[in-house]
Amino acid sequence: GAQQVVPAGPTGTRTATLSEADGYVAASVYIQGPAAIAIGSTTIAGTAWNWTPGAPGDIFVVISAFSVFSLDARPAAPAAPSDTDGGGWVLLADTGDLFVADDAAGWIRLIAWAKVVRTAGVTHQITLPGADAATTVSHLARVPAADVGGDWDIRFIGEAAAWRPDRTGNFVPGSKGDAWTGVDASGLLRRLSQGTAPLLSPIRRLCTTVAVDHCAAYWPCEDGADAKQVASGLPGGNPMRIDGGGTISFAQSTVFGGSAPLLELGDDTNLHGDIPAGVDTAGAMYWRMLIRIPDDGYPDLTTLMNWYPAGGPVARIGIVYGTSFGGCIDIRLYDSFGTQLASTGFFTLTPDIGFNGVPMYLSLELVRSGSNTNWLMSMAMLQDDGTIDARLISGTFSGITVGRIYRFSIGGSGAMGGTVLGHMGIADTQQWFFGTGSTFLSGYSGETAGRRFLRICAENGIPASVLGDPDDTVPMGPQPVDTLVNVLAEIERTDAGILYEPRDQLGLVYRTRESLYNQTVALTLDWDDGRMSPLTPVLDDRYTRNDVTVSRSGGSSARAVQETGPLNVQPPSEGGDGVGRYATELLVNPASDSALPDLAAWQLHLGVVDEVRYPQLTVDLDLYTAVARNAAQVDIGDRIVVTNVPDDLSPDDIDLIVVGCTETITPTRRTITFNCVPASAYTVAVYDTDRYDATDAKLAVAATSSATSIAVSSTALWTGDDGDFDISVGGERMTVTAVSGTSSPQVFTVTRAVNGVSKAHAAGTPVRLWKTPRYAL
């Protein structure tokens, strides 16, 4: 088989060998460790297994192979394994997507992750995330290695964007003084954001990123309304030119949602394009295009298009239209005298599968087999209900071979007015332009945010993973005609997750909004330990947004306003909880307008979190050695809790979500400063576990600082049937041990000063649950 060598990863060497005959992929992962290691058994994705490491510093390697035997889908790259020992997984090797052309053609990908264990002597549960339904995990190997020689702690991998040579004033080469070079480095997003990148449609983006080096010619047909030729989609490619006296209406049709507006032919218009010799299509020719034949079709035996091979008996290949069955086609081969050498015959399709008026993906494949040529015509017809009717018809031209295609033409028959054309191209591999699903032709409408992120990164060769379930993200609308960076930003805005660059590889990670909910704690810091850097509380309006409008591009909008309650829009001069109006608008792209009210409500919820912020938290890893390893592994979106906080700062633990960090490493010091937001915004209610709150509950009568029963009035009645629960009364945390009364006011039996706050409360003081349950998006 052919060997594909994959670049070395950050912590080892990796190679992949692909056999097209047998359809397998093998990879070698080299890690530093003992001569003999124990290999774990095969485990299915999504199932968990237990492992008890012997000592801190042991490593654990998970190797997985994913396969999708389909031309339309690729293996989904899951996030790193999860485990009860916390995060810290490092991408050790990734072969990328490898195409296997076999009886069951499709894609294979092998990925390896590794981590250094944090806590030894206890059993950890490890789970490899599953992938989509079309992907299977066919192999897993667990490789615990004791007594590992050496260790790794990857802090940054980036691209050098600037080099700054410098030297001392008295520098003399080879004699005295010092010379050095400073380096500015960053992740992928800096380079991807530089300049003014072209705005590409989803279909064009795919056609110019997937196996484009095998493409001989490609014409997107997305030119502007005043165009005079059809521009090539390849660097340095030849444009397609207009012959004859007919007309073309450019930027006319939007029947394919995954494309920018396409051209429409007028009568008596002929287009021709020259195909350079850089890619040889003599042994295998794959033609792809989008086409919509007019509703009333063409006259019988109209020639739609022609290809012209160089050398050999075949001088022209034509596709001829027939009126039967509501529109059908025939492939015909001609010699240089115009004599027909062979024909596939008109495809026999049932009457309700005619081509007329149907947006269609059309593919012709000619593959030489000795002295014969195997042909395959495939059609993917986009139905009115958004589904695809796909047909494959194949056969053999016996005793005939076809040379390299050097020219293509379409139209010129006098009766093709109203034909929509787009994304026409020829390649020497089946791999180019393989997307034919309904979501592809319609701009991937309905694709979840997580899946869109993985697909777009794969198309652009960007290593990527999703932290969380990519299927448990917001269904998106059609992918816009925009830059790569803007499309990724739209995903982040719509799902309200976090897009960031991982520290251990040059790539991207999308952390889903759902993965931020109700997290386990990644790092716990004890204020009483005395080695924490001072925390500075901030009570400000930086993130206040109490009037939120979300709009869908080309669609409707929804608005959510905080009229009452904390941080509402009422003027502060009127008293109460009003802070004035803080209005904002967010452009999102959900699959339907019906999602907009919920998206607006969630953004409003994030904008009216009424508590003290602790925007930065610094950990000195040299001073606070007990938590240094855990602190170094805290990632974007993780949760940090500070316990035993002084009462004058907070009556409760400080609960934070990390949204960024700055690490400083000097010869004598290493610190990490985490940028944080309150975690309470992502503490959401769990069905059948959390209780509902009563928003209008208040003390019916005043309560002394020592009272163990209080009277509470509200329109909704409380119950103590589900056990004890905590409430907040004027900043004091109380535990309710019993509720009596079947009408308002009710009497609560309480344990006072749970958070150390003890004071008297006036009648009318609001009574709320200590942890107010919030609806998740």
Side-chain angles (χ1 to χ4, degrees):
Q3 185 179 63
Q4 176 176 342
V5 179
V6 185
T11 58
T13 302
R14 52 193 181 170
T15 61
T17 304
L18 171 67
S19 168
E20 295 186 354
D22 298 325
Y24 67 85
V25 59
S28 299
V29 178
Y30 300 93
I31 59 175
Q32 188 175 12
I37 54 178
I39 305 298
S41 59
T42 299
T43 306
I44 304 301
T47 59
W49 66 90
N50 293 326
W51 174 53
T52 304
D58 286 0
I59 66 170
F60 195 89
V61 178
V62 172
I63 303 174
S64 60
F66 304 89
S67 59
V68 179
F69 292 100
S70 165
L71 298 180
D72 293 343
R74 286 184 165 202
S82 60
D83 67 282
T84 53
D85 188 39
W89 290 92
V90 174
L91 180 65
L92 191 64
D94 187 349
T95 64
D97 294 333
L98 303 175
F99 185 73
V100 178
D102 201 355
D103 292 337
W107 299 85
I108 292 178
R109 182 172 188 172
L110 188 144
I111 309 177
W113 295 277
K115 70 168 288 182
V116 179
V117 69
R118 297 173 177 177
T119 309
V122 297
T123 299
H124 303 301
Q125 188 179 75
I126 301 175
T127 305
L128 180 71
D132 59 54
T135 304
T136 60
V137 177
S138 57
H139 177 76
L140 280 178
R142 306 198 307 272
V143 189
D147 303 321
V148 175
D151 194 0
W152 69 79
D153 188 4
I154 299 174
R155 305 314 302 164
F156 174 74
I157 293 177
E159 297 176 336
W163 302 82
R164 306 181 187 280
D166 204 351
R167 59 186 182 177
T168 58
N170 64 343
F171 178 76
V172 177
S175 175
K176 61 179 179 178
D178 294 321
W180 63 91
T181 299
V183 178
D184 294 343
S186 61
L188 284 176
L189 288 176
R190 181 189 186 280
R191 172 167 53 82
L192 296 176
S193 301
Q194 292 283 76
T196 305
L199 307 181
L200 299 181
S201 67
I203 296 177
R204 183 172 180 180
R205 186 179 299 281
L206 180 62
C207 291
T208 53
T209 53
V210 176
V212 69
D213 54 327
H214 290 271
C215 186
Y218 168 53
W219 297 281
C221 305
E222 295 180 333
D223 308 84
D226 295 329
K228 304 302 180 186
Q229 64 181 21
V230 181
S232 171
L234 302 178
N238 298 321
M240 187 176 286
R241 303 190 181 280
I242 304 171
D243 291 338
T247 60
I248 290 182
S249 299
F250 286 96
Q252 185 68 24
S253 175
T254 58
V255 295
F256 295 98
S259 174
L262 297 174
L263 66 82
E264 187 175 294
L265 291 179
D267 287 337
D268 300 313
T269 300
N270 179 268
L271 283 168
H272 83 267
D274 296 321
I275 300 171
V279 176
D280 188 1
T281 57
M285 170 267 208
Y286 298 87
W287 175 264
R288 322 290 198 197
M289 69 181 301
L290 301 183
I291 185 171
R292 182 186 180 277
I293 295 171
D295 293 341
D296 53 359
Y298 310 129
D300 199 31
L301 303 184
T302 296
T303 299
L304 276 70
M305 59 195 77
N306 291 296
W307 295 271
Y308 300 90
V314 180
R316 178 169 65 91
I317 306 168
I319 290 187
V320 178
Y321 171 84
T323 57
S324 301
F325 311 115
C328 56
I329 55 177
D330 176 17
I331 305 171
R332 298 181 179 181
L333 308 185
Y334 302 89
D335 63 16
S336 58
F337 299 101
T339 302
Q340 183 175 310
L341 301 176
S343 169
T344 62
F346 285 108
F347 301 143
T348 304
L349 301 176
T350 55
D352 59 341
I353 312 295
F355 297 160
N356 293 351
V358 180
M360 178 170 53
Y361 164 86
L362 186 63
S363 169
L364 170 63
E365 302 179 3
L366 301 176
V367 180
R368 182 178 298 179
S369 177
S371 61
N372 304 322
T373 298
N374 297 325
W375 61 268
L376 183 146
M377 178 71 78
S378 60
M379 296 141 284
M381 293 163 282
L382 187 60
Q383 306 299 298
D384 291 339
D385 62 358
T387 61
I388 287 289
D389 191 321
R391 300 297 176 101
L392 297 175
I393 304 173
S394 61
T396 300
F397 294 125
S398 299
I400 299 177
T401 59
V402 178
R404 182 188 70 82
I405 307 298
Y406 70 90
R407 191 168 183 267
F408 165 77
S409 68
I410 190 166
S413 298
M416 292 184 63
T419 301
V420 176
L421 298 174
H423 303 282
M424 299 183 288
I426 185 171
D428 67 355
T429 177
Q430 186 185 46
Q431 185 178 347
W432 182 74
F433 193 0
F434 58 86
T436 60
S438 60
T439 55
F440 171 76
L441 295 179
S442 63
Y444 301 98
S445 182
E447 179 182 47
T448 65
R451 291 296 172 195
R452 178 165 297 182
F453 169 78
L454 290 174
R455 175 183 56 79
I456 289 174
C457 289
E459 289 175 5
N460 290 273
I462 299 173
S465 63
V466 171
L467 187 55
D469 185 352
D471 295 319
D472 195 9
T473 50
V474 173
M476 301 285 292
Q479 182 181 322
V481 179
D482 212 332
T483 64
L484 170 64
V485 172
N486 287 345
V487 172
L488 293 174
E490 181 184 76
I491 293 171
E492 182 183 32
R493 287 196 309 272
T494 303
D495 187 60
I498 304 175
L499 174 68
Y500 67 95
E501 296 164 320
R503 66 168 67 96
D504 53 17
Q505 71 171 132
L506 197 62
L508 296 175
V509 174
Y510 179 67
R511 181 151 193 171
T512 69
R513 168 187 33 77
E514 189 274 340
S515 74
L516 301 173
Y517 293 161
N518 301 342
Q519 292 185 68
T520 57
V521 179
L523 176 64
T524 300
L525 301 173
D526 187 344
W527 185 282
D528 285 346
D529 187 88
R531 288 180 287 183
M532 278 190 55
S533 297
L535 281 173
T536 303
V538 176
L539 190 59
D540 62 4
D541 63 353
R542 178 174 179 179
Y543 296 110
T544 301
R545 303 291 184 270
N546 55 20
D547 184 347
V548 177
T549 299
V550 295
S551 301
R552 184 171 69 88
S553 180
S556 186
S557 63
R559 185 181 178 194
V561 181
Q562 184 88 339
E563 299 283 3
T564 60
L567 306 181
N568 69 65
V569 297
Q570 305 306 321
S573 59
E574 296 183 5
D577 297 322
V579 294
R581 191 174 302 275
Y582 289 77
T584 189
E585 182 176 12
L586 199 66
L587 187 62
V588 294
N589 185 19
S592 68
D593 289 338
S594 62
L596 294 174
D598 287 340
L599 294 177
W602 179 256
Q603 292 295 334
L604 177 67
H605 157 66
L606 296 179
V608 293
V609 175
D610 186 23
E611 60 182 84
V612 175
R613 292 193 308 113
Y614 295 87
Q616 290 190 328
L617 184 155
T618 299
V619 179
D620 189 322
L621 275 64
D622 295 293
L623 180 64
Y624 212 159
T625 56
V627 301
R629 180 178 289 275
N630 283 0
Q633 297 301 327
V634 170
D635 211 343
I636 305 301
D638 282 353
R639 182 181 170 200
I640 297 177
V641 169
V642 181
T643 62
N644 295 317
V645 181
D647 292 342
D648 61 321
L649 281 183
S650 173
D652 200 11
D653 295 343
I654 296 175
D655 204 350
L656 306 169
I657 294 290
V658 175
V659 294
C661 64
T662 301
E663 184 165 352
T664 303
I665 302 175
T666 70
T668 59
R669 216 73 179 155
R670 181 182 173 197
T671 63
I672 302 178
T673 297
F674 298 104
N675 301 324
C676 304
V677 297
S680 62
Y682 298 95
T683 303
V684 297
V686 177
Y687 180 75
D688 208 28
T689 299
D690 291 308
R691 62 168 60 235
Y692 287 98
D693 205 352
T695 58
D696 64 343
K698 58 187 176 182
L699 290 181
V701 295
T704 66
S705 60
S706 60
T708 56
S709 63
I710 58 175
V712 178
S713 64
S714 65
T715 55
L717 296 180
W718 297 72
T719 175
D721 296 342
D722 296 327
D724 298 350
F725 59 95
D726 286 3
I727 59 175
S728 173
V729 182
E732 179 182 351
R733 183 174 183 175
M734 306 180 189
T735 297
V736 180
T737 58
V739 177
S740 61
T742 57
S743 61
S744 182
Q746 295 173 285
V747 176
F748 290 7
T749 301
V750 295
T751 300
R752 301 291 298 271
V754 175
N755 62 339
V757 176
S758 177
K759 62 180 182 178
H761 303 283
T765 301
V767 177
R768 303 296 302 272
L769 288 175
W770 182 253
K771 291 294 185 182
T772 302
R774 295 174 172 86
Y775 282 103
L777 175 58

